[in-house]
Amino acid sequence: MSLTTLVQTMDDWCEAPAPGRPPRPSWLRDILTAVVLAEMSARMNGTDEGRSLYSAAVHLYEAAAEKVALNPQPLPPLEE
């Protein structure tokens, strides 16, 4: 599955609640995207692109976590 397809699937799922269920929170897509980006960066074995991707994941996660958690926890550091 490509990243574009994955993000589109998350957008569709996050924006379309199941019938009879409460709507999904607006920050859910950002948290899921950050997790996927962090996982992808871990597979890039310490390359500059991997570090850049991980940095983007951290910024996205931190922005979403501030909306959600009373005490947001950071993503673990990128293993080199």
Side-chain angles (χ1 to χ4, degrees):
M1 178 181 289
S2 71
L3 181 58
T4 304
T5 304
L6 179 61
V7 170
Q8 182 61 47
T9 301
M10 287 188 303
D11 282 343
D12 292 344
W13 188 82
C14 290
E15 293 173 3
R21 304 275 174 126
R24 294 176 181 96
S26 59
W27 44 263
L28 182 60
R29 179 180 48 90
D30 294 340
I31 296 286
L32 293 173
T33 303
V35 170
V36 169
L37 292 176
E39 285 295 317
M40 289 174 62
S41 71
R43 293 192 174 107
M44 297 178 112
N45 296 329
T47 64
D48 289 338
E49 292 85 8
R51 285 188 204 95
S52 177
L53 192 60
Y54 187 79
S55 178
V58 167
H59 291 300
L60 183 60
Y61 176 81
E62 288 174 348
E66 286 181 11
K67 298 175 191 173
V68 180
L70 297 175
N71 185 15
Q73 301 298 309
L75 288 176
L78 183 62
E79 294 179 12
E80 305 247 353

